[in-house]
Amino acid sequence: MTNPLETLANNPFEIAKQAAEQIREATGVASHDIALTLGSGWAKAADLIGETVATVPAKDIVGFSAPVVEGHVASIRSIKLPSGKHALVLGARTHYYEGHGVRRVVHGVRTAAATGAKIMILTNGCGGIKETWTPGTPVLISDHINLTADSPLEGATFIDLTDLYSKRLREIARSVDGSLDEGIYAQFRGPHYETPAEVQMVKHMGGHLVGMSTALEAIAAREAGMEILGFSLMTNLAAGVQKTPLSHAEVLEAGREAEPRISALLASIIEKL
Ligand code: 8IG
């Protein structure tokens, strides 16, 4: 016989529901409309999109843990947009490479859905393969290649991933900045960067961006019925495309340099959602 409490503790959707309830209590906001995960280089967007109603330490919400990467922020913020809508900003992302399993990776997305969010904005910092891009270029994600060999879905959940990164939302983004390029994002498990040969493999597969997040989260967001906007900040040319070795310090510096500009861009896009 199974213990009902164990069943509850083992159900990721139940834990997300509990987390959403805790967020409701901590923020006083009954329901959120939009959720954002802010990756490297995007954190300032939270200050630009509206009025912060409440900031909650992520560690106070069930299932969230403190981030391990320098430059990531460990808080969950509820923001009232000028439109009157409520945005939930997840500053704490759990990466696949942390080794806590894929359920933990997508807990934020599932929690966002449980708070009522219908749109999930996933942002990240990543490497770029197109040589015409320079570090600091924001790129809309048009599709992904999941190279983690894993999935956040368990059991016979055959979810369609056509138009995973909403064409409608990408069009809204381009109505704000017509020069925005788009690309296909390949998620590796990391935490090492790719070899030049792996970057060439992705290029031959049709990928344009390489990173360590987002694809698994997008799948979970789609399962939860959300519409997804994916946004990458290309902070470095991928290994081998860039002739010099990759350094995390340089990646952070490129993020810092681009942050005000891309955060303002994201804020303008959010205004139109
Ligand atoms: I920022 O070049 C950042 N994140 N996999 N490759 C991968 N992840 C990244 C990279 C990169 N740059």
Side-chain angles (χ1 to χ4, degrees), residues 93-112:
R93 166 182 263 148
T94 299
H95 285 89
Y96 191 68
Y97 56 70
E98 290 172 49
H100 303 306
V102 74
R103 283 183 175 186
R104 287 281 292 282
V105 171
V106 300
H107 177 63
V109 164
R110 287 182 173 150
T111 298

PDB file of all heavy atoms in Angstrom, residues 93-112:
ATOM      1  N   ARG A  93      16.701  30.206 -10.859  1.00  0.00           N
ATOM      2  CA  ARG A  93      16.542  29.082 -11.781  1.00  0.00           C
ATOM      3  C   ARG A  93      17.404  27.941 -11.275  1.00  0.00           C
ATOM      4  O   ARG A  93      18.538  28.157 -10.857  1.00  0.00           O
ATOM      5  CB  ARG A  93      16.987  29.541 -13.171  1.00  0.00           C
ATOM      6  CG  ARG A  93      17.205  28.435 -14.176  1.00  0.00           C
ATOM      7  CD  ARG A  93      17.682  28.973 -15.520  1.00  0.00           C
ATOM      8  NE  ARG A  93      16.592  29.139 -16.477  1.00  0.00           N
ATOM      9  CZ  ARG A  93      16.573  30.085 -17.417  1.00  0.00           C
ATOM     10  NH1 ARG A  93      17.543  30.966 -17.499  1.00  0.00           N
ATOM     11  NH2 ARG A  93      15.560  30.154 -18.258  1.00  0.00           N
ATOM     12  N   THR A  94      16.866  26.738 -11.306  1.00  0.00           N
ATOM     13  CA  THR A  94      17.681  25.560 -11.008  1.00  0.00           C
ATOM     14  C   THR A  94      18.116  24.969 -12.338  1.00  0.00           C
ATOM     15  O   THR A  94      17.286  24.703 -13.199  1.00  0.00           O
ATOM     16  CB  THR A  94      16.868  24.525 -10.199  1.00  0.00           C
ATOM     17  OG1 THR A  94      16.467  25.140  -8.971  1.00  0.00           O
ATOM     18  CG2 THR A  94      17.692  23.291  -9.888  1.00  0.00           C
ATOM     19  N   HIS A  95      19.408  24.829 -12.502  1.00  0.00           N
ATOM     20  CA  HIS A  95      19.919  24.289 -13.766  1.00  0.00           C
ATOM     21  C   HIS A  95      20.019  22.763 -13.707  1.00  0.00           C
ATOM     22  O   HIS A  95      20.229  22.173 -12.651  1.00  0.00           O
ATOM     23  CB  HIS A  95      21.302  24.873 -14.069  1.00  0.00           C
ATOM     24  CG  HIS A  95      21.255  26.293 -14.540  1.00  0.00           C
ATOM     25  ND1 HIS A  95      21.289  27.358 -13.671  1.00  0.00           N
ATOM     26  CD2 HIS A  95      21.173  26.820 -15.790  1.00  0.00           C
ATOM     27  CE1 HIS A  95      21.221  28.480 -14.366  1.00  0.00           C
ATOM     28  NE2 HIS A  95      21.151  28.194 -15.655  1.00  0.00           N
ATOM     29  N   TYR A  96      19.920  22.170 -14.849  1.00  0.00           N
ATOM     30  CA  TYR A  96      20.022  20.713 -14.960  1.00  0.00           C
ATOM     31  C   TYR A  96      21.360  20.212 -14.431  1.00  0.00           C
ATOM     32  O   TYR A  96      21.447  19.184 -13.779  1.00  0.00           O
ATOM     33  CB  TYR A  96      19.838  20.337 -16.440  1.00  0.00           C
ATOM     34  CG  TYR A  96      19.658  18.865 -16.677  1.00  0.00           C
ATOM     35  CD1 TYR A  96      18.507  18.212 -16.241  1.00  0.00           C
ATOM     36  CD2 TYR A  96      20.629  18.128 -17.354  1.00  0.00           C
ATOM     37  CE1 TYR A  96      18.331  16.857 -16.465  1.00  0.00           C
ATOM     38  CE2 TYR A  96      20.460  16.775 -17.585  1.00  0.00           C
ATOM     39  CZ  TYR A  96      19.318  16.144 -17.139  1.00  0.00           C
ATOM     40  OH  TYR A  96      19.150  14.803 -17.367  1.00  0.00           O
ATOM     41  N   TYR A  97      22.421  20.997 -14.699  1.00  0.00           N
ATOM     42  CA  TYR A  97      23.765  20.548 -14.302  1.00  0.00           C
ATOM     43  C   TYR A  97      23.965  20.508 -12.787  1.00  0.00           C
ATOM     44  O   TYR A  97      24.945  19.979 -12.306  1.00  0.00           O
ATOM     45  CB  TYR A  97      24.859  21.405 -14.959  1.00  0.00           C
ATOM     46  CG  TYR A  97      24.771  22.890 -14.701  1.00  0.00           C
ATOM     47  CD1 TYR A  97      25.030  23.424 -13.444  1.00  0.00           C
ATOM     48  CD2 TYR A  97      24.437  23.768 -15.725  1.00  0.00           C
ATOM     49  CE1 TYR A  97      24.954  24.791 -13.215  1.00  0.00           C
ATOM     50  CE2 TYR A  97      24.356  25.128 -15.511  1.00  0.00           C
ATOM     51  CZ  TYR A  97      24.615  25.629 -14.250  1.00  0.00           C
ATOM     52  OH  TYR A  97      24.529  26.973 -14.021  1.00  0.00           O
ATOM     53  N   GLU A  98      23.018  21.077 -12.026  1.00  0.00           N
ATOM     54  CA  GLU A  98      23.153  21.019 -10.570  1.00  0.00           C
ATOM     55  C   GLU A  98      22.937  19.603 -10.049  1.00  0.00           C
ATOM     56  O   GLU A  98      23.321  19.278  -8.924  1.00  0.00           O
ATOM     57  CB  GLU A  98      22.174  21.997  -9.906  1.00  0.00           C
ATOM     58  CG  GLU A  98      22.577  23.447 -10.136  1.00  0.00           C
ATOM     59  CD  GLU A  98      21.519  24.433  -9.662  1.00  0.00           C
ATOM     60  OE1 GLU A  98      21.043  24.305  -8.529  1.00  0.00           O
ATOM     61  OE2 GLU A  98      21.163  25.326 -10.466  1.00  0.00           O
ATOM     62  N   GLY A  99      22.300  18.794 -10.868  1.00  0.00           N
ATOM     63  CA  GLY A  99      22.177  17.384 -10.525  1.00  0.00           C
ATOM     64  C   GLY A  99      21.032  17.044  -9.580  1.00  0.00           C
ATOM     65  O   GLY A  99      21.004  15.963  -9.008  1.00  0.00           O
ATOM     66  N   HIS A 100      20.064  17.971  -9.424  1.00  0.00           N
ATOM     67  CA  HIS A 100      18.924  17.679  -8.548  1.00  0.00           C
ATOM     68  C   HIS A 100      17.772  17.027  -9.298  1.00  0.00           C
ATOM     69  O   HIS A 100      16.706  16.809  -8.732  1.00  0.00           O
ATOM     70  CB  HIS A 100      18.401  18.972  -7.888  1.00  0.00           C
ATOM     71  CG  HIS A 100      19.434  19.706  -7.098  1.00  0.00           C
ATOM     72  ND1 HIS A 100      20.168  19.118  -6.093  1.00  0.00           N
ATOM     73  CD2 HIS A 100      19.888  20.988  -7.177  1.00  0.00           C
ATOM     74  CE1 HIS A 100      21.005  20.000  -5.585  1.00  0.00           C
ATOM     75  NE2 HIS A 100      20.867  21.134  -6.230  1.00  0.00           N
ATOM     76  N   GLY A 101      17.987  16.784 -10.572  1.00  0.00           N
ATOM     77  CA  GLY A 101      16.940  16.135 -11.351  1.00  0.00           C
ATOM     78  C   GLY A 101      16.061  17.142 -12.070  1.00  0.00           C
ATOM     79  O   GLY A 101      15.992  18.318 -11.715  1.00  0.00           O
ATOM     80  N   VAL A 102      15.380  16.656 -13.076  1.00  0.00           N
ATOM     81  CA  VAL A 102      14.645  17.538 -13.977  1.00  0.00           C
ATOM     82  C   VAL A 102      13.373  18.107 -13.325  1.00  0.00           C
ATOM     83  O   VAL A 102      12.910  19.188 -13.670  1.00  0.00           O
ATOM     84  CB  VAL A 102      14.391  16.817 -15.318  1.00  0.00           C
ATOM     85  CG1 VAL A 102      13.327  15.759 -15.176  1.00  0.00           C
ATOM     86  CG2 VAL A 102      14.074  17.787 -16.422  1.00  0.00           C
ATOM     87  N   ARG A 103      12.833  17.397 -12.335  1.00  0.00           N
ATOM     88  CA  ARG A 103      11.652  17.938 -11.639  1.00  0.00           C
ATOM     89  C   ARG A 103      11.975  19.274 -10.985  1.00  0.00           C
ATOM     90  O   ARG A 103      11.154  20.201 -11.000  1.00  0.00           O
ATOM     91  CB  ARG A 103      11.186  16.965 -10.548  1.00  0.00           C
ATOM     92  CG  ARG A 103      10.426  15.774 -11.076  1.00  0.00           C
ATOM     93  CD  ARG A 103       9.968  14.953  -9.901  1.00  0.00           C
ATOM     94  NE  ARG A 103       9.116  13.845 -10.308  1.00  0.00           N
ATOM     95  CZ  ARG A 103       8.498  13.057  -9.447  1.00  0.00           C
ATOM     96  NH1 ARG A 103       8.641  13.241  -8.143  1.00  0.00           N
ATOM     97  NH2 ARG A 103       7.735  12.071  -9.876  1.00  0.00           N
ATOM     98  N   ARG A 104      13.151  19.339 -10.379  1.00  0.00           N
ATOM     99  CA  ARG A 104      13.551  20.584  -9.720  1.00  0.00           C
ATOM    100  C   ARG A 104      13.798  21.679 -10.758  1.00  0.00           C
ATOM    101  O   ARG A 104      13.525  22.853 -10.516  1.00  0.00           O
ATOM    102  CB  ARG A 104      14.810  20.356  -8.877  1.00  0.00           C
ATOM    103  CG  ARG A 104      14.548  19.554  -7.603  1.00  0.00           C
ATOM    104  CD  ARG A 104      13.942  20.437  -6.509  1.00  0.00           C
ATOM    105  NE  ARG A 104      14.889  21.424  -6.030  1.00  0.00           N
ATOM    106  CZ  ARG A 104      15.874  21.172  -5.182  1.00  0.00           C
ATOM    107  NH1 ARG A 104      16.022  19.956  -4.680  1.00  0.00           N
ATOM    108  NH2 ARG A 104      16.709  22.101  -4.818  1.00  0.00           N
ATOM    109  N   VAL A 105      14.309  21.299 -11.916  1.00  0.00           N
ATOM    110  CA  VAL A 105      14.601  22.262 -12.978  1.00  0.00           C
ATOM    111  C   VAL A 105      13.328  22.989 -13.430  1.00  0.00           C
ATOM    112  O   VAL A 105      13.345  24.189 -13.680  1.00  0.00           O
ATOM    113  CB  VAL A 105      15.264  21.546 -14.188  1.00  0.00           C
ATOM    114  CG1 VAL A 105      15.369  22.462 -15.390  1.00  0.00           C
ATOM    115  CG2 VAL A 105      16.640  21.009 -13.797  1.00  0.00           C
ATOM    116  N   VAL A 106      12.223  22.259 -13.494  1.00  0.00           N
ATOM    117  CA  VAL A 106      10.994  22.856 -14.031  1.00  0.00           C
ATOM    118  C   VAL A 106       9.995  23.254 -12.943  1.00  0.00           C
ATOM    119  O   VAL A 106       8.873  23.666 -13.251  1.00  0.00           O
ATOM    120  CB  VAL A 106      10.321  21.919 -15.071  1.00  0.00           C
ATOM    121  CG1 VAL A 106      11.283  21.649 -16.234  1.00  0.00           C
ATOM    122  CG2 VAL A 106       9.849  20.614 -14.448  1.00  0.00           C
ATOM    123  N   HIS A 107      10.409  23.152 -11.700  1.00  0.00           N
ATOM    124  CA  HIS A 107       9.503  23.507 -10.594  1.00  0.00           C
ATOM    125  C   HIS A 107       9.034  24.963 -10.689  1.00  0.00           C
ATOM    126  O   HIS A 107       7.862  25.266 -10.433  1.00  0.00           O
ATOM    127  CB  HIS A 107      10.192  23.246  -9.253  1.00  0.00           C
ATOM    128  CG  HIS A 107       9.385  23.647  -8.059  1.00  0.00           C
ATOM    129  ND1 HIS A 107       8.170  23.057  -7.750  1.00  0.00           N
ATOM    130  CD2 HIS A 107       9.597  24.600  -7.104  1.00  0.00           C
ATOM    131  CE1 HIS A 107       7.690  23.622  -6.649  1.00  0.00           C
ATOM    132  NE2 HIS A 107       8.519  24.562  -6.245  1.00  0.00           N
ATOM    133  N   GLY A 108       9.941  25.860 -11.088  1.00  0.00           N
ATOM    134  CA  GLY A 108       9.576  27.275 -11.195  1.00  0.00           C
ATOM    135  C   GLY A 108       8.483  27.494 -12.239  1.00  0.00           C
ATOM    136  O   GLY A 108       7.527  28.242 -12.021  1.00  0.00           O
ATOM    137  N   VAL A 109       8.645  26.829 -13.360  1.00  0.00           N
ATOM    138  CA  VAL A 109       7.663  26.953 -14.447  1.00  0.00           C
ATOM    139  C   VAL A 109       6.312  26.392 -14.007  1.00  0.00           C
ATOM    140  O   VAL A 109       5.258  26.995 -14.238  1.00  0.00           O
ATOM    141  CB  VAL A 109       8.195  26.215 -15.704  1.00  0.00           C
ATOM    142  CG1 VAL A 109       7.091  25.970 -16.697  1.00  0.00           C
ATOM    143  CG2 VAL A 109       9.328  27.007 -16.335  1.00  0.00           C
ATOM    144  N   ARG A 110       6.335  25.240 -13.355  1.00  0.00           N
ATOM    145  CA  ARG A 110       5.074  24.632 -12.897  1.00  0.00           C
ATOM    146  C   ARG A 110       4.414  25.474 -11.810  1.00  0.00           C
ATOM    147  O   ARG A 110       3.186  25.583 -11.764  1.00  0.00           O
ATOM    148  CB  ARG A 110       5.341  23.199 -12.399  1.00  0.00           C
ATOM    149  CG  ARG A 110       5.601  22.276 -13.573  1.00  0.00           C
ATOM    150  CD  ARG A 110       5.820  20.840 -13.170  1.00  0.00           C
ATOM    151  NE  ARG A 110       5.904  20.016 -14.378  1.00  0.00           N
ATOM    152  CZ  ARG A 110       6.605  18.904 -14.486  1.00  0.00           C
ATOM    153  NH1 ARG A 110       7.280  18.437 -13.443  1.00  0.00           N
ATOM    154  NH2 ARG A 110       6.622  18.237 -15.630  1.00  0.00           N
ATOM    155  N   THR A 111       5.245  26.086 -10.969  1.00  0.00           N
ATOM    156  CA  THR A 111       4.705  26.966  -9.942  1.00  0.00           C
ATOM    157  C   THR A 111       4.071  28.193 -10.593  1.00  0.00           C
ATOM    158  O   THR A 111       2.974  28.619 -10.217  1.00  0.00           O
ATOM    159  CB  THR A 111       5.823  27.388  -8.962  1.00  0.00           C
ATOM    160  OG1 THR A 111       6.327  26.216  -8.322  1.00  0.00           O
ATOM    161  CG2 THR A 111       5.318  28.374  -7.922  1.00  0.00           C
ATOM    162  N   ALA A 112       4.759  28.750 -11.588  1.00  0.00           N
ATOM    163  CA  ALA A 112       4.225  29.915 -12.307  1.00  0.00           C
ATOM    164  C   ALA A 112       2.860  29.583 -12.902  1.00  0.00           C
ATOM    165  O   ALA A 112       1.907  30.358 -12.781  1.00  0.00           O
ATOM    166  CB  ALA A 112       5.197  30.339 -13.407  1.00  0.00           C
TER     167      ALA A 112
END
